[in-house]
Structure formats: C-alpha cells, structure tokens
Amino acid sequence: MPRPLWAGAISFGLVTIPVKIVSATEDHDVHFHRVHLIDMGRVRTRKVCEIDGEVVSQDEIGKGYEVSKDETVAVTDEELEQMPLPTAKAIEIVAFVDGNTIDPVRISDSYYLAVDGQVAAKPYTLLRKALERSSKVAVAKFAWHGRERLGLLRIREGAIVLHSMKWPDEVRDPQELAPRVVEVGEEAIEQALQLADRMTIENLSGFRDEYRQALEDIIAAKADGKPLPSAADGEENKAGEVVDLMAALNASVKAAKESRGEDHDGEDATVHEMRPAKKTGRAAPAKKKAASSKSAAAKKTTARSTSAAKKSTGKKTAAKKRSAS
C-alpha cells in the first residue's frame, strides 16, 4: 500500500470510522533536473533571506502572512493544528446529494480512504453499502494542508473515494468566455451526433500517454549515443488551419466508419450547409438582366420552333400534292 498522506476519521452522524488517506493516482511524468550544461552539475534553488542576503536552512523557514506592506505576521504549524475546527482531524459528512448534480469542474484531486485498524472495518462497510445502494454521494468538510476543504465521498470498486472539491466561489463564471451567438443548422448538429455515435467506446482503458513514451525514447537514444527518433511522416502540425465545418464533419464520419471496419455504401446523406443569399442594392439589376436574358432566349427558341413547324407543314403539303397528281 502507498504511504498514507493523512490519518483521521470519517464522522457520519454518531458513527466514527478511522481512516487513512492514500493517493488514488500515480505520477508517471518524466521529471527533469536543472543542470549546468557545461558539466551537467545540478543547479538548485537556494533559499535566501531578502533582508540579510544569507542562505536560510529549512529549519529556519516558517509561514508568514502579509497584513500590510510593512507588516508580516508569523503563523506556526502548532497554531494551525490547534485551530478550533471540528474538521481538523475528521472528514465530517454534512449532506448527501444526487451524484449527477455535481459539476465535474469542481472536482480536484482524488484519494482512497483505507480502514485504519480492524475496529474501522464494520462502520466502513456500513457506509460503503449505504452509498452503493443509493444514487447519492456524500458531501464532507475536512481540514488539510492548512485550510478547510470541501470533499465528495463515493464508491469505486468497493473502496470509498474522497474527491477534493472547489468551493462554490472558487469556480469562475464561464458566461464571459462563451462565444457570441451564432446559428448552427440542424443538419450540422445531426452530423455531429452521428460522429459522436461512431466514436463511442465502452471505457478509457486503451488510452496511453504517447508523449511520455516518445520522450522516454529520446532519453534512451541520447543515453546510448544513438540517433534521435524522427517524427512520423505526414504528421504535420495543422494548428490554426481553418476548414469547412460541414466538409470536416462528413470526412470525420467517414473516417470513423473506416476505422471500425464499416463499409461506406454511399447511401448515407451528405450534409451541405445552406447559405442564404445576400440582399444588396446591386442584386436587383442583376436579376432583371438575368430575367431579360432568359426571356430573350425563350423568344428565340419559340421563333425557331415556329419556323421549323412551318417548314415541316409545307413539306408535308407538297408531298401530298405530288402523291395526288
């Protein structure tokens, strides 16, 4: 089991469940050191006091809050631990809500809650089963890393998960970021839904961090003195390229079908964007001119047809006279 990050208890009414917080995720990122390029020596960040210019050890460093430009108040870890908070050593469940009412943007880090001792097994199981049989999740408050936090408790494969959450006033209003009102045709929406259906999968287990793999390949090649791997042919950066929306949707649906091995039978309707004609002052004469041209062409066609009919009638009359004679 990973090293516990915190130890306390879940407070559920009169029920107390001793638990330990264990990270629910792992960091697989490739981390770099800052080095001196001439000799590869490590370059570290020195902690220097801006008043006397001396390098300060970790034991001499504490927390301070700037009350004003010229006044800073020191706050010790002991004072923070002795704050009169009911959530100082407890994850206090304060409410239950429907799980689908939680905005995902509010969810931050995730942790597993492991039982802390055999005495916690029964109440832990009680809370787990209660949450499993309900569509609700538990909202809790807890203090950690010098501040009180809002949390969410739910069940994942038999374990209670604690999600750290943002407070309501920590989430920005997205209205100012939304684009201006634009018209999108129903055909485009239907095509986008069709694309979403073609791209639907059952789970995310097949995704891999390709950037990290490529970075590890570069590091391995440099360590072995081998040539660096080159970028795949045809994978050019097309960021910022403007494409036709409908053409992109049609091509995307076709590509999704091909990736799933589906035959394109040609029966699927191709969506075309309908653009209304622009109404300007110069459009009217053009229409009259076009109408006059069409009228003239029609008159010429009618005249030719009449002349041809007369000639045909004359030929038939002459033929009859010759036959009678």
Side-chain angles (χ1 to χ4, degrees):
M1 178 184 293
R3 181 177 62 86
L5 305 175
W6 180 92
I10 301 176
S11 175
F12 177 34
L14 299 178
V15 178
T16 300
I17 311 172
V19 293
K20 295 179 290 186
I21 289 182
V22 179
S23 178
T25 59
E26 294 180 318
D27 180 11
H28 290 166
D29 288 347
V30 177
H31 298 279
F32 294 101
H33 295 307
R34 290 184 299 173
V35 297
H36 187 198
L37 294 177
I38 296 177
D39 53 16
M40 291 296 118
R42 288 282 298 276
V43 176
R44 302 181 184 275
T45 301
R46 297 195 309 164
K47 298 178 175 63
V48 180
C49 176
E50 64 180 16
I51 295 178
D52 58 21
E54 297 292 330
V55 177
V56 182
S57 65
Q58 187 61 39
D59 297 337
E60 300 175 280
I61 298 176
K63 296 181 177 68
Y65 182 81
E66 186 176 319
V67 179
S68 64
K69 186 176 180 180
D70 299 323
E71 182 182 3
T72 300
V73 176
V75 180
T76 66
D77 292 336
E78 292 75 14
E79 290 170 338
L80 293 175
E81 292 176 356
Q82 295 173 5
M83 287 175 58
L85 277 177
T87 57
K89 276 295 182 179
I91 301 171
E92 182 184 5
I93 295 177
V94 294
F96 288 84
V97 297
D98 291 330
N100 56 9
T101 63
I102 300 298
D103 188 348
V105 77
R106 296 185 59 183
I107 297 179
S108 185
D109 297 324
S110 301
Y111 306 92
Y112 289 130
L113 297 182
V115 293
D116 192 4
Q118 186 59 34
V119 68
K122 190 170 183 178
Y124 186 100
T125 304
L126 172 65
L127 178 59
R128 187 196 71 193
K129 289 185 176 296
L131 289 174
E132 284 176 338
R133 295 186 186 184
S134 170
S135 61
K136 295 179 174 56
V137 293
V139 178
K141 295 171 68 176
F142 64 104
W144 197 17
H145 293 311
R147 55 171 294 193
E148 187 174 55
R149 301 172 184 265
L150 193 64
L152 183 72
L153 299 182
R154 69 176 185 88
I155 307 302
R156 183 178 188 272
E157 298 181 3
I160 300 177
V161 182
L162 169 65
H163 298 288
S164 177
M165 295 179 60
K166 301 289 185 183
W167 294 96
D169 60 354
E170 292 180 319
V171 180
R172 293 191 178 98
D173 185 359
Q175 291 300 320
E176 61 185 20
L177 307 176
R180 60 182 177 83
V181 178
V182 295
E183 293 294 332
V184 179
E186 286 297 322
E187 296 88 353
I189 297 175
E190 290 297 328
Q191 193 76 337
L193 290 174
Q194 185 179 356
L195 176 59
D197 289 339
R198 299 288 180 181
M199 297 179 65
T200 299
I201 60 177
E202 294 183 359
N203 57 68
L204 305 179
S205 59
F207 287 98
R208 298 290 182 271
D209 187 348
E210 297 181 7
Y211 178 85
R212 189 191 69 187
Q213 182 61 53
L215 187 57
E216 290 176 348
D217 293 341
I218 290 176
I219 294 173
K222 296 197 71 171
D224 296 337
K226 297 179 180 179
L228 298 182
S230 58
D233 295 336
E235 294 185 1
E236 300 177 357
N237 184 10
K238 297 184 179 180
E241 181 180 349
V242 179
V243 297
D244 181 77
L245 176 61
M246 304 311 302
L249 284 172
N250 282 315
S252 299
V253 172
K254 182 179 179 181
K257 288 181 179 180
E258 292 175 352
S259 67
R260 289 175 174 264
E262 300 178 14
D263 295 330
H264 187 67
D265 52 15
E267 296 179 357
D268 294 324
T270 300
V271 178
H272 299 281
E273 187 175 10
M274 302 299 293
R275 294 187 177 90
K278 295 182 179 179
K279 296 181 180 180
T280 62
R282 298 180 180 178
K287 289 182 180 179
K288 289 181 179 179
K289 185 178 180 180
S292 300
S293 300
K294 290 181 179 180
S295 177
K299 288 180 180 180
K300 289 181 180 180
T301 302
T302 304
R304 292 195 191 98
S305 300
T306 304
S307 177
K310 289 180 178 180
K311 291 180 179 180
S312 177
T313 304
K315 291 180 179 179
K316 290 181 180 179
T317 304
K320 286 180 180 181
K321 289 181 178 180
R322 285 196 296 271
S323 177
S325 62

